[in-house]
Amino acid sequence: MVVPPSSCFVVELRSIAADQVNLKWLRRYNPFVNAADLTQRAQALLRSVYGYPEFRAGQLEVIESVLDGRDSLVLMPTGGGKSLCYQIPAMLRPGVGIVISPLIALMQDQVQALRQLGVAAAFLNSSVPFHEQREIEGALKRGELDLLYLAPERLLSGEAGTLELLRALDVALIAIDEAHCVSQWGHDFRQDYLGLHVLAEHFPGVPRMALTATADVRTRGEITSRLALKEPRRFISGFDRPNICYRVQVKGSPGANLQAFLDGHRDEAGIVYCLSRRKVEETAQQLVEAGFDALPYHAGLSSDLRQRHQNRFQRDEGVVIVATVAFGMGIDKPDVRFVAHTDLPKSVEAYYQETGRAGRDGLPAEAWMSYGLQDVVRLRQMADQSEADEQHKRIERTRLDALLGWCEVTTCRRAALLSYFGEDYAGPCGNCDICLNPPKTWDGTVAAQKFLSCVHRTGERFGAAHVIDVLRGKDTAKVRQHRHERLSTYGIGADFSDRQWRSVARQVVVRGFARVEAERFGALMLTSAARPLLRGEERLELREEARIDKPKRNSSPRPEAYAVSAADEPLWQALKARRIELADQAGVPPYVIFHDATLKEFARVRPDSQEAMLALHGVGETKLKRYGEAMLEVITLHPRVD
């Protein structure tokens, strides 16, 4: 995002102040007012500022706890409305709310959205010019800001003097967003987060809240301890994202699986994750050649080019970003219709965090992933060869094993995912690949015995590819070099194809009968669990390898309230065009003006006045004042045809 110059900030702040004249009574917090009155004020802000008729589950309880001055740990799924839990109390309590955020993009998105709502918000980070920093500091001292977003390094840097500045102010609350970044065992660890415990010393009595969408039981304890939260109330809202359809597919020919999946998402916004920069570039180019509006994003690109690509993704419709996992945190784009992984992530937590960027608007979205045995080998090598201590490596291996096990489940995928986070889900969900197309299983005991025997006979020195060549009786230079054609296992698997044996290899590794040795170039070795299977004391059911076809789309209809009928389609397109005009004028992404869900309500309901428009979801007083007339003009030009 382009940071507005100082003059723009001053003008916008004055405009916000003018818009909030009628809301000032709501923000005069009286510590002696009763709880019912505070709840009423919070609900009034929700309606007048955000345009929402009621809180989502769990939000009001968190807000009431913060207003009561309590520390809190808030765990809500992506798109569950975590930001409201600190934004509304910051407007109700005296002083400014401080929000700690790990990424510049996250701050910029939230501040832009808040200013469009008429909330006085700003951010301080390395992208802000010096003269604008002085303007923001002046606004802070004059008590003109409700919310200030900061990077942790800015807050803790003695040179910046930010901590001293804030200590001289009234601070309403301190919200630490993406709090899982404090976990040294997590997938998004940020070193600067470890210093945030000092906030307890510098701001005694100020309620602090740690918020995240991804934290297992261990990480929750680490957050509480490292941030020195004082007897925090814990709000766990659950991990389920019912609008996301989860799909996992075995890798086929490079790019074929992905393009088959994306053919069902033409002209829709999405994110494709790849493990390496090279694969990002290759995949983006392949998608462009296939007719997709695809852009690469990785750390090897210049910062200017990355920014341009990110801006296009946020502003334009139907753009696909192909990226390493460095992309995504803090991207509030609500209409991302899919997240695709062309390689295996490192853990269930990482997978959940990344797929959570799809369908933030609550409309149907898909999370698709393809993986193969080579992914397992590569990630285990990365874990084993890292500079981390042995305890850290052991945790990483455990988390990778958990993800591999999830990939190979034969029951409801959503139930298994939620179970990992300690949440019971009866299932079946009816909205994952397994529920929609249940996999077949077969008695793989003999096949697994053949494979494991061949691993043993070849000396546990080779990877799966060579073991399969021996099993299939192939005459290769490597087979002849090691005289493996003389082994008793040579050719005993000729009745299976390479693909079938790769499936067996992948599943015996996932089930723990063999392991990949990174220090021996990916060689397979038997584990103690293999002995009873080889002796015939156990039977093994394996998944039948599915054909790699274009995935079946979920045939369940979209919610009626969000559907666009053929009769309303012209108005829907005209409203989107007007939204783009307004977004360009304001210098913000289109979804900051109004979400798709709100525009679809406009098309369905066709309000004929600003009063009628204000009653719809997502229309607050400031947005009505700024954009209501422009939208009503479009609606008037498209009368309903009976």
Side-chain angles (χ1 to χ4, degrees):
M1 295 296 173
V2 178
V3 179
S6 178
S7 58
C8 292
F9 169 75
V10 174
V11 170
E12 188 168 7
L13 191 58
R14 287 173 181 164
S15 172
I16 288 171
D19 286 339
Q20 288 184 321
V21 169
N22 294 328
L23 297 177
K24 283 187 179 291
W25 69 273
L26 288 169
R27 294 166 45 215
R28 289 176 183 165
Y29 176 80
N30 182 341
F32 300 106
V33 76
N34 63 54
D37 190 42
L38 281 177
T39 298
Q40 187 177 17
R41 294 184 183 192
Q43 290 171 331
L45 278 177
L46 182 72
R47 175 67 264 181
S48 62
V49 175
Y50 298 90
Y52 301 147
E54 57 188 19
F55 285 106
R56 294 181 184 178
Q59 286 180 322
L60 187 56
E61 290 82 355
V62 178
I63 291 169
E64 290 174 337
S65 179
V66 177
L67 291 174
D68 195 36
R70 294 283 302 274
D71 284 359
S72 53
L73 172 63
V74 181
L75 184 62
M76 286 185 179
T78 303
K82 292 187 295 296
S83 58
L84 282 181
C85 294
Y86 56 79
Q87 289 172 2
I88 286 182
M91 287 185 272
L92 285 170
R93 287 179 63 88
V96 61
I98 306 300
V99 184
I100 311 300
S101 177
L103 294 178
I104 289 175
L106 179 58
M107 301 182 214
Q108 292 171 334
D109 277 2
Q110 293 224 7
V111 168
Q112 277 190 333
L114 284 166
R115 290 180 184 176
Q116 289 298 312
L117 292 169
V119 178
F123 58 83
L124 283 174
N125 57 44
S126 59
S127 72
V128 181
F130 179 78
H131 59 279
E132 186 178 342
Q133 293 182 32
R134 299 286 80 83
E135 292 285 354
I136 293 172
E137 290 172 5
L140 279 169
K141 293 174 182 177
R142 294 189 297 272
E144 295 174 350
L145 289 179
D146 287 317
L147 286 149
L148 177 69
Y149 286 72
L150 293 168
E153 59 270 20
R154 170 82 187 209
L155 178 69
L156 301 174
S157 170
E159 294 180 7
T162 305
L163 196 57
E164 289 71 20
L165 171 67
L166 297 180
R167 289 177 64 184
L169 305 174
D170 282 336
V171 176
L173 58 86
I174 299 173
I176 301 167
D177 204 5
E178 307 293 349
H180 63 275
C181 292
V182 79
S183 173
Q184 290 181 295
W185 310 106
H187 61 284
D188 269 328
F189 173 61
R190 299 289 194 277
Q191 183 70 38
D192 290 304
Y193 266 62
L194 293 180
L196 294 178
H197 65 278
V198 302
L199 295 173
E201 305 167 16
H202 289 290
F203 300 95
V206 174
R208 290 175 300 126
M209 52 195 311
L211 306 102
T212 181
T214 314
D216 57 15
V217 174
R218 177 194 180 101
T219 303
R220 295 172 209 169
E222 195 172 359
I223 290 171
T224 300
S225 174
R226 292 191 180 278
L227 295 180
L229 299 179
K230 183 179 179 181
E231 299 179 354
R233 290 193 62 188
R234 297 187 174 213
F235 299 92
I236 313 298
S237 296
F239 290 85
D240 190 17
R241 295 288 306 281
N243 61 312
I244 296 180
C245 178
Y246 296 101
R247 300 182 186 276
V248 178
Q249 192 170 356
V250 177
K251 284 186 175 179
S253 59
N257 306 55
L258 177 64
Q259 289 192 33
F261 167 72
L262 292 184
D263 279 339
H265 290 280
R266 290 275 177 180
D267 303 318
E268 292 182 344
I271 305 172
V272 177
Y273 284 116
C274 303
L275 193 60
S276 68
R277 299 177 186 180
R278 178 180 177 181
K279 189 168 182 180
V280 165
E281 294 285 353
E282 292 174 349
T283 303
Q285 183 59 38
Q286 290 168 0
L287 293 182
V288 168
E289 293 171 358
F292 293 92
D293 188 358
L295 300 170
Y297 186 103
H298 58 75
L301 302 175
S302 69
S303 58
D304 287 344
L305 185 57
R306 288 201 308 272
Q307 194 67 63
R308 288 202 298 272
H309 287 183
Q310 180 174 310
N311 288 346
R312 275 213 55 213
F313 175 70
Q314 290 179 290
R315 291 176 185 273
D316 298 348
E317 295 186 352
V319 175
V320 177
I321 280 284
V322 184
T324 56
V325 293
F327 178 83
M329 183 186 289
I331 299 301
D332 285 339
K333 186 176 175 67
D335 59 343
V336 175
R337 296 273 64 87
F338 64 87
V339 170
H341 285 84
T342 62
D343 299 299
L344 198 66
K346 293 182 179 180
S347 66
V348 176
E349 290 90 347
Y351 174 79
Y352 180 84
Q353 181 84 12
E354 290 150 19
T355 57
R357 289 152 194 165
R360 293 171 63 99
D361 54 7
L363 297 179
E366 289 193 90
W368 176 91
M369 178 171 66
S370 67
Y371 90 106
L373 183 59
Q374 191 57 40
D375 290 332
V376 181
V377 174
R378 184 162 57 254
L379 286 175
R380 284 198 167 145
Q381 285 176 335
M382 290 171 62
D384 290 344
Q385 295 171 2
S386 74
E387 297 180 357
D389 58 39
E390 191 54 40
Q391 183 184 10
H392 195 170
K393 289 181 180 180
R394 187 165 56 252
I395 291 173
E396 289 300 306
R397 294 187 199 106
T398 300
R399 286 179 166 170
L400 176 59
D401 288 343
L403 179 61
L404 291 171
W406 180 78
C407 290
E408 294 290 349
V409 297
T410 56
T411 55
C412 175
R413 200 172 291 284
R414 187 181 311 278
L417 180 64
L418 297 178
S419 176
Y420 177 84
F421 291 105
E423 185 173 334
D424 292 331
Y425 183 88
C429 71
N431 195 28
C432 71
D433 54 349
I434 292 176
C435 289
L436 294 169
N437 188 24
K440 296 179 181 178
T441 61
W442 58 288
D443 186 349
T445 306
V446 173
Q449 288 170 337
K450 289 180 179 180
F451 183 84
L452 294 172
S453 294
C454 196
V455 169
H456 175 68
R457 296 287 182 185
T458 54
E460 300 181 59
R461 298 168 49 210
F462 301 92
H466 179 69
V467 173
I468 291 171
D469 285 346
V470 175
L471 282 168
R472 297 200 65 212
K474 289 187 178 181
D475 182 20
T476 69
K478 198 170 185 178
V479 168
R480 291 193 302 273
Q481 176 188 352
H482 296 282
R483 299 183 179 182
H484 286 166
E485 75 278 7
R486 301 181 180 183
L487 296 177
S488 59
T489 52
Y490 181 74
I492 64 172
D495 54 333
F496 275 24
S497 67
D498 277 1
R499 182 165 171 265
Q500 288 172 309
W501 276 121
R502 285 197 300 271
S503 174
V504 173
R506 190 183 67 253
Q507 293 187 67
V508 297
V509 169
V510 168
R511 301 286 186 90
F513 298 106
R515 68 176 184 271
V516 177
E517 286 292 308
E519 294 180 356
R520 300 177 64 187
F521 306 100
L524 292 172
M525 295 189 67
L526 303 187
T527 69
S528 58
R531 292 192 185 95
L533 181 61
L534 286 169
R535 293 171 182 160
E537 298 168 2
E538 286 186 16
R539 298 187 65 79
L540 182 63
E541 288 287 314
L542 297 178
R543 287 170 58 108
E544 185 176 300
E545 197 69 55
R547 291 182 55 199
I548 301 175
D549 295 326
K550 182 176 179 179
K552 298 177 182 179
R553 301 296 303 278
N554 187 353
S555 59
S556 60
R558 293 191 172 194
E560 183 180 348
Y562 294 127
V564 178
S565 67
D568 292 337
E569 184 68 24
L571 174 55
W572 160 240
Q573 295 298 333
L575 288 168
K576 288 201 295 181
R578 177 57 57 88
R579 180 176 62 176
I580 290 174
E581 293 174 7
L582 296 171
D584 289 342
Q585 293 170 11
V588 298
Y591 61 81
V592 172
I593 303 297
F594 288 116
H595 283 192
D596 279 1
T598 302
L599 290 195
K600 289 178 179 179
E601 271 205 272
F602 289 168
R604 182 176 61 86
V605 177
R606 298 184 186 237
D608 56 4
S609 67
Q610 291 200 21
E611 290 73 19
M613 186 174 282
L614 189 61
L616 299 182
H617 182 87
V619 184
E621 292 177 359
T622 300
K623 284 194 175 182
L624 179 70
K625 179 179 177 181
R626 292 180 177 178
Y627 309 119
E629 195 60 44
M631 290 297 181
L632 282 173
E633 180 182 314
V634 174
I635 295 170
T636 302
L637 293 174
H638 292 77
R640 191 184 302 277
V641 178
D642 296 326

